[in-house]
PDB file of all heavy atoms in Angstrom:
ATOM      1  N   PRO A 642    -104.131  65.147 164.124  1.00 64.00           N
ATOM      2  CA  PRO A 642    -103.028  64.278 164.546  1.00 64.00           C
ATOM      3  C   PRO A 642    -103.412  62.886 165.003  1.00 64.00           C
ATOM      4  O   PRO A 642    -102.691  61.925 164.744  1.00 64.00           O
ATOM      5  CB  PRO A 642    -102.390  65.086 165.684  1.00 64.00           C
ATOM      6  CG  PRO A 642    -102.619  66.495 165.274  1.00 64.00           C
ATOM      7  CD  PRO A 642    -103.984  66.521 164.636  1.00 64.00           C
ATOM      8  N   ALA A 643    -104.566  62.739 165.637  1.00 55.00           N
ATOM      9  CA  ALA A 643    -104.936  61.409 166.126  1.00 55.00           C
ATOM     10  C   ALA A 643    -105.151  60.421 164.992  1.00 55.00           C
ATOM     11  O   ALA A 643    -105.112  59.212 165.204  1.00 55.00           O
ATOM     12  CB  ALA A 643    -106.204  61.501 166.970  1.00 55.00           C
ATOM     13  N   ASP A 644    -105.361  60.903 163.760  1.00 88.00           N
ATOM     14  CA  ASP A 644    -105.700  60.010 162.659  1.00 88.00           C
ATOM     15  C   ASP A 644    -104.504  59.648 161.773  1.00 88.00           C
ATOM     16  O   ASP A 644    -104.651  58.870 160.842  1.00 88.00           O
ATOM     17  CB  ASP A 644    -106.798  60.636 161.795  1.00 88.00           C
ATOM     18  CG  ASP A 644    -108.122  60.705 162.535  1.00 88.00           C
ATOM     19  OD1 ASP A 644    -108.434  59.741 163.233  1.00 88.00           O
ATOM     20  OD2 ASP A 644    -108.810  61.731 162.420  1.00 88.00           O
ATOM     21  N   ILE A 645    -103.371  60.230 162.038  1.00 92.00           N
ATOM     22  CA  ILE A 645    -102.188  59.869 161.257  1.00 92.00           C
ATOM     23  C   ILE A 645    -101.836  58.405 161.479  1.00 92.00           C
ATOM     24  O   ILE A 645    -101.285  57.748 160.599  1.00 92.00           O
ATOM     25  CB  ILE A 645    -101.014  60.805 161.607  1.00 92.00           C
ATOM     26  CG1 ILE A 645    -101.341  62.225 161.125  1.00 92.00           C
ATOM     27  CG2 ILE A 645     -99.716  60.313 160.990  1.00 92.00           C
ATOM     28  CD1 ILE A 645    -100.294  63.252 161.455  1.00 92.00           C
ATOM     29  N   ALA A 646    -102.207  57.873 162.629  1.00 92.00           N
ATOM     30  CA  ALA A 646    -101.972  56.456 162.901  1.00 92.00           C
ATOM     31  C   ALA A 646    -102.695  55.576 161.886  1.00 92.00           C
ATOM     32  O   ALA A 646    -102.202  54.511 161.508  1.00 92.00           O
ATOM     33  CB  ALA A 646    -102.422  56.109 164.317  1.00 92.00           C
ATOM     34  N   SER A 647    -103.873  56.008 161.430  1.00 93.00           N
ATOM     35  CA  SER A 647    -104.618  55.226 160.439  1.00 93.00           C
ATOM     36  C   SER A 647    -103.871  55.188 159.111  1.00 93.00           C
ATOM     37  O   SER A 647    -103.846  54.152 158.428  1.00 93.00           O
ATOM     38  CB  SER A 647    -106.006  55.831 160.230  1.00 93.00           C
ATOM     39  OG  SER A 647    -106.759  55.810 161.423  1.00 93.00           O
ATOM     40  N   ILE A 648    -103.252  56.301 158.756  1.00 95.00           N
ATOM     41  CA  ILE A 648    -102.476  56.361 157.518  1.00 95.00           C
ATOM     42  C   ILE A 648    -101.272  55.422 157.606  1.00 95.00           C
ATOM     43  O   ILE A 648    -100.991  54.649 156.691  1.00 95.00           O
ATOM     44  CB  ILE A 648    -102.015  57.805 157.255  1.00 95.00           C
ATOM     45  CG1 ILE A 648    -103.212  58.734 157.160  1.00 95.00           C
ATOM     46  CG2 ILE A 648    -101.169  57.886 155.989  1.00 95.00           C
ATOM     47  CD1 ILE A 648    -102.841  60.199 157.149  1.00 95.00           C
ATOM     48  N   GLU A 649    -100.576  55.489 158.722  1.00 96.00           N
ATOM     49  CA  GLU A 649     -99.406  54.626 158.908  1.00 96.00           C
ATOM     50  C   GLU A 649     -99.810  53.159 158.897  1.00 96.00           C
ATOM     51  O   GLU A 649     -99.132  52.318 158.287  1.00 96.00           O
ATOM     52  CB  GLU A 649     -98.694  54.965 160.208  1.00 96.00           C
ATOM     53  CG  GLU A 649     -97.463  54.100 160.449  1.00 96.00           C
ATOM     54  CD  GLU A 649     -96.725  54.466 161.726  1.00 96.00           C
ATOM     55  OE1 GLU A 649     -97.318  55.174 162.576  1.00 96.00           O
ATOM     56  OE2 GLU A 649     -95.569  54.043 161.878  1.00 96.00           O
ATOM     57  N   SER A 650    -100.919  52.842 159.545  1.00 96.00           N
ATOM     58  CA  SER A 650    -101.357  51.454 159.624  1.00 96.00           C
ATOM     59  C   SER A 650    -101.642  50.887 158.232  1.00 96.00           C
ATOM     60  O   SER A 650    -101.217  49.767 157.904  1.00 96.00           O
ATOM     61  CB  SER A 650    -102.614  51.355 160.495  1.00 96.00           C
ATOM     62  OG  SER A 650    -103.103  50.025 160.524  1.00 96.00           O
ATOM     63  N   LEU A 651    -102.336  51.656 157.402  1.00 97.00           N
ATOM     64  CA  LEU A 651    -102.631  51.171 156.054  1.00 97.00           C
ATOM     65  C   LEU A 651    -101.356  51.080 155.220  1.00 97.00           C
ATOM     66  O   LEU A 651    -101.181  50.134 154.439  1.00 97.00           O
ATOM     67  CB  LEU A 651    -103.644  52.077 155.365  1.00 97.00           C
ATOM     68  CG  LEU A 651    -104.054  51.644 153.952  1.00 97.00           C
ATOM     69  CD1 LEU A 651    -104.635  50.240 153.954  1.00 97.00           C
ATOM     70  CD2 LEU A 651    -105.031  52.639 153.340  1.00 97.00           C
ATOM     71  N   ALA A 652    -100.459  52.045 155.388  1.00 98.00           N
ATOM     72  CA  ALA A 652     -99.191  52.007 154.654  1.00 98.00           C
ATOM     73  C   ALA A 652     -98.417  50.738 154.965  1.00 98.00           C
ATOM     74  O   ALA A 652     -97.855  50.092 154.067  1.00 98.00           O
ATOM     75  CB  ALA A 652     -98.356  53.238 154.994  1.00 98.00           C
ATOM     76  N   LEU A 653     -98.388  50.354 156.224  1.00 97.00           N
ATOM     77  CA  LEU A 653     -97.691  49.132 156.619  1.00 97.00           C
ATOM     78  C   LEU A 653     -98.406  47.903 156.069  1.00 97.00           C
ATOM     79  O   LEU A 653     -97.771  46.947 155.612  1.00 97.00           O
ATOM     80  CB  LEU A 653     -97.590  49.059 158.140  1.00 97.00           C
ATOM     81  CG  LEU A 653     -96.671  50.102 158.797  1.00 97.00           C
ATOM     82  CD1 LEU A 653     -96.841  50.077 160.311  1.00 97.00           C
ATOM     83  CD2 LEU A 653     -95.214  49.857 158.413  1.00 97.00           C
ATOM     84  N   GLU A 654     -99.717  47.932 156.096  1.00 98.00           N
ATOM     85  CA  GLU A 654    -100.495  46.791 155.592  1.00 98.00           C
ATOM     86  C   GLU A 654    -100.279  46.582 154.090  1.00 98.00           C
ATOM     87  O   GLU A 654    -100.210  45.446 153.611  1.00 98.00           O
ATOM     88  CB  GLU A 654    -101.981  47.015 155.883  1.00 98.00           C
ATOM     89  CG  GLU A 654    -102.855  45.823 155.569  1.00 98.00           C
ATOM     90  CD  GLU A 654    -104.309  46.050 155.971  1.00 98.00           C
ATOM     91  OE1 GLU A 654    -104.658  47.171 156.415  1.00 98.00           O
ATOM     92  OE2 GLU A 654    -105.104  45.093 155.828  1.00 98.00           O
ATOM     93  N   LEU A 655    -100.149  47.690 153.358  1.00 98.00           N
ATOM     94  CA  LEU A 655     -99.965  47.616 151.915  1.00 98.00           C
ATOM     95  C   LEU A 655     -98.516  47.342 151.516  1.00 98.00           C
ATOM     96  O   LEU A 655     -98.250  46.987 150.368  1.00 98.00           O
ATOM     97  CB  LEU A 655    -100.437  48.911 151.254  1.00 98.00           C
ATOM     98  CG  LEU A 655    -101.945  49.172 151.289  1.00 98.00           C
ATOM     99  CD1 LEU A 655    -102.249  50.555 150.726  1.00 98.00           C
ATOM    100  CD2 LEU A 655    -102.703  48.098 150.505  1.00 98.00           C
ATOM    101  N   GLY A 656     -97.596  47.517 152.449  1.00 98.00           N
ATOM    102  CA  GLY A 656     -96.199  47.231 152.154  1.00 98.00           C
ATOM    103  C   GLY A 656     -95.420  48.413 151.607  1.00 98.00           C
ATOM    104  O   GLY A 656     -94.525  48.238 150.778  1.00 98.00           O
ATOM    105  N   TYR A 657     -95.712  49.629 152.079  1.00 98.00           N
ATOM    106  CA  TYR A 657     -94.904  50.778 151.676  1.00 98.00           C
ATOM    107  C   TYR A 657     -93.462  50.556 152.127  1.00 98.00           C
ATOM    108  O   TYR A 657     -93.217  49.980 153.193  1.00 98.00           O
ATOM    109  CB  TYR A 657     -95.402  52.062 152.357  1.00 98.00           C
ATOM    110  CG  TYR A 657     -96.689  52.642 151.837  1.00 98.00           C
ATOM    111  CD1 TYR A 657     -97.606  51.887 151.105  1.00 98.00           C
ATOM    112  CD2 TYR A 657     -97.007  53.976 152.094  1.00 98.00           C
ATOM    113  CE1 TYR A 657     -98.793  52.449 150.659  1.00 98.00           C
ATOM    114  CE2 TYR A 657     -98.180  54.541 151.647  1.00 98.00           C
ATOM    115  CZ  TYR A 657     -99.080  53.769 150.938  1.00 98.00           C
ATOM    116  OH  TYR A 657    -100.264  54.326 150.493  1.00 98.00           O
ATOM    117  N   PRO A 658     -92.493  51.016 151.361  1.00 97.00           N
ATOM    118  CA  PRO A 658     -91.107  50.950 151.845  1.00 97.00           C
ATOM    119  C   PRO A 658     -90.960  51.771 153.125  1.00 97.00           C
ATOM    120  O   PRO A 658     -91.539  52.865 153.249  1.00 97.00           O
ATOM    121  CB  PRO A 658     -90.300  51.541 150.686  1.00 97.00           C
ATOM    122  CG  PRO A 658     -91.285  52.298 149.864  1.00 97.00           C
ATOM    123  CD  PRO A 658     -92.595  51.615 150.016  1.00 97.00           C
ATOM    124  N   GLU A 659     -90.209  51.261 154.067  1.00 96.00           N
ATOM    125  CA  GLU A 659     -90.064  51.935 155.363  1.00 96.00           C
ATOM    126  C   GLU A 659     -89.548  53.362 155.205  1.00 96.00           C
ATOM    127  O   GLU A 659     -89.904  54.253 155.991  1.00 96.00           O
ATOM    128  CB  GLU A 659     -89.122  51.144 156.267  1.00 96.00           C
ATOM    129  CG  GLU A 659     -89.692  49.807 156.729  1.00 96.00           C
ATOM    130  CD  GLU A 659     -88.759  49.103 157.698  1.00 96.00           C
ATOM    131  OE1 GLU A 659     -87.751  49.723 158.098  1.00 96.00           O
ATOM    132  OE2 GLU A 659     -89.040  47.940 158.048  1.00 96.00           O
ATOM    133  N   SER A 660     -88.742  53.603 154.198  1.00 97.00           N
ATOM    134  CA  SER A 660     -88.107  54.911 154.043  1.00 97.00           C
ATOM    135  C   SER A 660     -89.084  56.045 153.761  1.00 97.00           C
ATOM    136  O   SER A 660     -88.733  57.215 153.939  1.00 97.00           O
ATOM    137  CB  SER A 660     -87.072  54.857 152.913  1.00 97.00           C
ATOM    138  OG  SER A 660     -86.063  53.920 153.208  1.00 97.00           O
ATOM    139  N   VAL A 661     -90.302  55.719 153.308  1.00 97.00           N
ATOM    140  CA  VAL A 661     -91.241  56.800 152.991  1.00 97.00           C
ATOM    141  C   VAL A 661     -92.224  57.066 154.123  1.00 97.00           C
ATOM    142  O   VAL A 661     -92.907  58.102 154.114  1.00 97.00           O
ATOM    143  CB  VAL A 661     -92.038  56.512 151.696  1.00 97.00           C
ATOM    144  CG1 VAL A 661     -91.115  56.201 150.545  1.00 97.00           C
ATOM    145  CG2 VAL A 661     -93.064  55.412 151.893  1.00 97.00           C
ATOM    146  N   ILE A 662     -92.314  56.170 155.080  1.00 97.00           N
ATOM    147  CA  ILE A 662     -93.379  56.310 156.076  1.00 97.00           C
ATOM    148  C   ILE A 662     -93.166  57.523 156.976  1.00 97.00           C
ATOM    149  O   ILE A 662     -94.095  58.313 157.203  1.00 97.00           O
ATOM    150  CB  ILE A 662     -93.518  55.013 156.889  1.00 97.00           C
ATOM    151  CG1 ILE A 662     -94.058  53.900 155.964  1.00 97.00           C
ATOM    152  CG2 ILE A 662     -94.461  55.216 158.079  1.00 97.00           C
ATOM    153  CD1 ILE A 662     -94.220  52.553 156.620  1.00 97.00           C
ATOM    154  N   SER A 663     -91.964  57.732 157.473  1.00 97.00           N
ATOM    155  CA  SER A 663     -91.721  58.898 158.345  1.00 97.00           C
ATOM    156  C   SER A 663     -91.911  60.219 157.606  1.00 97.00           C
ATOM    157  O   SER A 663     -92.619  61.102 158.097  1.00 97.00           O
ATOM    158  CB  SER A 663     -90.331  58.819 158.965  1.00 97.00           C
ATOM    159  OG  SER A 663     -90.261  57.763 159.903  1.00 97.00           O
ATOM    160  N   PRO A 664     -91.308  60.419 156.421  1.00 97.00           N
ATOM    161  CA  PRO A 664     -91.550  61.686 155.716  1.00 97.00           C
ATOM    162  C   PRO A 664     -93.011  61.858 155.308  1.00 97.00           C
ATOM    163  O   PRO A 664     -93.514  62.993 155.286  1.00 97.00           O
ATOM    164  CB  PRO A 664     -90.633  61.606 154.497  1.00 97.00           C
ATOM    165  CG  PRO A 664     -90.221  60.196 154.375  1.00 97.00           C
ATOM    166  CD  PRO A 664     -90.264  59.623 155.744  1.00 97.00           C
ATOM    167  N   MET A 665     -93.707  60.777 155.012  1.00 97.00           N
ATOM    168  CA  MET A 665     -95.131  60.875 154.698  1.00 97.00           C
ATOM    169  C   MET A 665     -95.922  61.359 155.915  1.00 97.00           C
ATOM    170  O   MET A 665     -96.788  62.239 155.814  1.00 97.00           O
ATOM    171  CB  MET A 665     -95.664  59.523 154.235  1.00 97.00           C
ATOM    172  CG  MET A 665     -97.165  59.521 153.939  1.00 97.00           C
ATOM    173  SD  MET A 665     -97.832  57.858 153.611  1.00 97.00           S
ATOM    174  CE  MET A 665     -97.686  57.096 155.238  1.00 97.00           C
ATOM    175  N   LYS A 666     -95.595  60.819 157.077  1.00 95.00           N
ATOM    176  CA  LYS A 666     -96.289  61.233 158.300  1.00 95.00           C
ATOM    177  C   LYS A 666     -95.994  62.692 158.622  1.00 95.00           C
ATOM    178  O   LYS A 666     -96.888  63.441 159.053  1.00 95.00           O
ATOM    179  CB  LYS A 666     -95.875  60.327 159.465  1.00 95.00           C
ATOM    180  CG  LYS A 666     -96.430  58.922 159.375  1.00 95.00           C
ATOM    181  CD  LYS A 666     -95.781  57.974 160.376  1.00 95.00           C
ATOM    182  CE  LYS A 666     -95.978  58.439 161.803  1.00 95.00           C
ATOM    183  NZ  LYS A 666     -95.333  57.504 162.761  1.00 95.00           N
ATOM    184  N   ARG A 667     -94.753  63.129 158.420  1.00 95.00           N
ATOM    185  CA  ARG A 667     -94.422  64.533 158.666  1.00 95.00           C
ATOM    186  C   ARG A 667     -95.210  65.443 157.726  1.00 95.00           C
ATOM    187  O   ARG A 667     -95.730  66.480 158.139  1.00 95.00           O
ATOM    188  CB  ARG A 667     -92.917  64.771 158.498  1.00 95.00           C
ATOM    189  CG  ARG A 667     -92.061  64.208 159.611  1.00 95.00           C
ATOM    190  CD  ARG A 667     -90.657  64.781 159.574  1.00 95.00           C
ATOM    191  NE  ARG A 667     -89.955  64.425 158.347  1.00 95.00           N
ATOM    192  CZ  ARG A 667     -89.238  63.309 158.218  1.00 95.00           C
ATOM    193  NH1 ARG A 667     -89.137  62.445 159.224  1.00 95.00           N
ATOM    194  NH2 ARG A 667     -88.602  63.041 157.073  1.00 95.00           N
ATOM    195  N   ALA A 668     -95.294  65.047 156.475  1.00 95.00           N
ATOM    196  CA  ALA A 668     -96.044  65.851 155.508  1.00 95.00           C
ATOM    197  C   ALA A 668     -97.515  65.920 155.888  1.00 95.00           C
ATOM    198  O   ALA A 668     -98.168  66.953 155.699  1.00 95.00           O
ATOM    199  CB  ALA A 668     -95.880  65.267 154.112  1.00 95.00           C
ATOM    200  N   ALA A 669     -98.048  64.848 156.453  1.00 94.00           N
ATOM    201  CA  ALA A 669     -99.464  64.807 156.811  1.00 94.00           C
ATOM    202  C   ALA A 669     -99.828  65.839 157.866  1.00 94.00           C
ATOM    203  O   ALA A 669    -100.947  66.351 157.880  1.00 94.00           O
ATOM    204  CB  ALA A 669     -99.836  63.407 157.299  1.00 94.00           C
ATOM    205  N   THR A 670     -98.878  66.167 158.722  1.00 92.00           N
ATOM    206  CA  THR A 670     -99.186  67.098 159.815  1.00 92.00           C
ATOM    207  C   THR A 670     -99.424  68.526 159.335  1.00 92.00           C
ATOM    208  O   THR A 670    -100.001  69.326 160.058  1.00 92.00           O
ATOM    209  CB  THR A 670     -98.049  67.112 160.851  1.00 92.00           C
ATOM    210  OG1 THR A 670     -96.844  67.588 160.226  1.00 92.00           O
ATOM    211  CG2 THR A 670     -97.820  65.722 161.426  1.00 92.00           C
ATOM    212  N   SER A 671     -98.991  68.853 158.132  1.00 90.00           N
ATOM    213  CA  SER A 671     -99.128  70.240 157.661  1.00 90.00           C
ATOM    214  C   SER A 671    -100.073  70.373 156.469  1.00 90.00           C
ATOM    215  O   SER A 671    -100.109  71.411 155.821  1.00 90.00           O
ATOM    216  CB  SER A 671     -97.752  70.794 157.274  1.00 90.00           C
ATOM    217  OG  SER A 671     -97.147  70.000 156.266  1.00 90.00           O
ATOM    218  N   ILE A 672    -100.839  69.350 156.192  1.00 92.00           N
ATOM    219  CA  ILE A 672    -101.774  69.412 155.066  1.00 92.00           C
ATOM    220  C   ILE A 672    -103.028  70.172 155.483  1.00 92.00           C
ATOM    221  O   ILE A 672    -103.598  69.909 156.544  1.00 92.00           O
ATOM    222  CB  ILE A 672    -102.118  67.992 154.578  1.00 92.00           C
ATOM    223  CG1 ILE A 672    -100.880  67.389 153.896  1.00 92.00           C
ATOM    224  CG2 ILE A 672    -103.298  67.994 153.625  1.00 92.00           C
ATOM    225  CD1 ILE A 672    -101.038  65.952 153.502  1.00 92.00           C
TER     226      ILE A 672
END
């Protein structure tokens, strides 16, 4: 969990659409 912030940070830097960031983070918790 502490590293999901790194995923979000890169997603924002690359310009992911906001609508995918929350579901992407939720999916990350169960991988």
Side-chain angles (χ1 to χ4, degrees):
D644 291 320
I645 293 178
S647 298
I648 301 170
E649 180 178 16
S650 177
L651 181 58
L653 292 170
E654 188 176 5
L655 291 174
Y657 286 20
E659 291 184 7
S660 299
V661 307
I662 292 179
S663 291
M665 178 188 69
K666 289 168 59 180
R667 287 195 297 271
T670 63
S671 58
I672 290 174

